[in-house]
Amino acid sequence: MRRTIAVAAGLALAVPVLTSMAPASAAPTASTCQVQAGALTAGGDTVNRYVVATSPVTASPATVMAKQAFGGRSISLSSQWVWDDDFGDEMSLNGHVVSGGAMYQANQWVEKGTGGKVLRSSMTRIGGGWDVFRTLTQSWSLDDPSWRVYALRNDGTLFRWHVNPTNDGVEHWEAAGSYPGFSAVKAVTLLSRTSTYDTLLATTRGGALYTIHIPLSQPMKPVVKPVRTGTWQGFETLMASRCGQYGTLLLGIDEDSGSGYLYAVGHANGTATVINSLGKVPATFTDPVDYSWGSVVDAPLFGE
């Protein structure tokens, strides 16, 4: 039976508490939710840390998920990674990374209880030309074998791909549109995934916080709405997890200072969106590459 690593680490699981609250005004209640903050260390290990919405905010020690995960290969960009521990003494780790300008479908099988000992791994090349992209965001769900990937190019053009696995497990990537005009965007995370749209949450260099609502129809036509107009410029990385039926727990990482700050965000409704600051995270974030972890059984994000 699948279970979260939080149980094994002695942390209480999040319990949704917002099921009876109105979407426009509901914000997550502290002490109920957590973000799985991942990173690739300078030594080449992938790690996981639970940032929990207690009062005050708490954070677990960083746990090694995969030791020397990429065999010394330099990684410049990573998607969210997904883990599945329903394999006896082994756990499967899956994600996408950019190395040497190429995109790879990456997988590791690690032995539980060994500090991330990698038993076997693979790096399947998807394609080149990825050195010109600066964000990588994926929208996935256990209930849907296909998913979407969004990447922001250095010139401010946002691209979308539909990804489908083939019978032999190799992914087929299909271009599904692009849209210019996002050159000011600094950090991006997924906020919502539904059967008809995805929503991204983004900060800008000028300090604004925006939702980017992207219908799955063609052609790709994002709808951008301001959530806040200032003070968010310090975050180079955003990580989000679902909190209750309508809320989102948001972790913002300031890579210049190595600091993280946690926020409870209500269902997105433009500038009327409820955002409660929960405080500074008692941990440092100084690893070269930051990304989030998710379990295969996590409910899809529904922040907008």
Side-chain angles (χ1 to χ4, degrees), residues 278-302:
L278 303 181
K280 186 178 181 180
V281 179
T284 57
F285 299 87
T286 57
D287 293 308
V289 180
D290 292 305
Y291 59 91
S292 63
W293 284 98
S295 163
V296 291
V297 296
D298 288 347
L301 286 161
F302 187 51

Side-chain angles (χ1 to χ4, degrees), residues 136-291:
L136 184 62
T137 309
Q138 64 184 30
S139 171
W140 64 275
S141 171
L142 180 64
D143 299 328
D144 188 349
S146 64
W147 62 95
R148 280 88 63 183
V149 173
Y150 298 87
L152 183 63
R153 200 167 62 185
N154 289 335
D155 64 358
T157 303
L158 183 66
F159 288 80
R160 177 176 63 187
W161 290 265
H162 289 164
V163 182
N164 295 278
T166 59
N167 291 334
D168 59 1
V170 177
E171 297 171 349
H172 173 69
W173 286 52
E174 179 183 354
S178 63
Y179 203 88
F182 297 98
S183 59
V185 168
K186 190 174 183 181
V188 179
T189 190
L190 184 71
L191 186 67
S192 274
R193 174 193 166 92
T194 77
S195 60
T196 58
Y197 67 89
D198 290 318
T199 302
L200 308 180
L201 185 67
T203 61
T204 68
R205 295 184 181 89
L209 183 68
Y210 286 94
T211 54
I212 306 173
H213 177 99
I214 309 174
L216 300 188
S217 56
Q218 294 282 13
M220 179 175 164
K221 291 184 178 180
V223 178
V224 178
K225 292 184 179 180
V227 177
R228 295 293 187 269
T229 57
T231 74
W232 288 81
Q233 66 273 13
F235 297 131
E236 285 79 22
T237 299
L238 298 176
M239 301 181 190
S241 66
R242 184 163 173 167
C243 187
Q245 185 174 356
Y246 301 115
T248 302
L249 192 65
L250 180 67
L251 173 64
I253 295 177
D254 181 343
E255 295 177 356
D256 294 330
S257 65
S259 302
Y261 296 85
L262 199 62
Y263 301 87
V265 182
H267 206 69
N269 184 30
T271 55
T273 304
V274 176
I275 301 179
N276 295 324
S277 175
L278 303 181
K280 186 178 181 180
V281 179
T284 57
F285 299 87
T286 57
D287 293 308
V289 180
D290 292 305
Y291 59 91

Side-chain angles (χ1 to χ4, degrees), residues 76-77 98 101-103 126-136 149-151 161 173:
S76 59
L77 197 61
V98 175
M103 168 70 70
I126 301 299
W130 284 86
D131 50 335
V132 297
F133 289 90
R134 51 191 172 91
T135 70
L136 184 62
V149 173
Y150 298 87
W161 290 265
W173 286 52

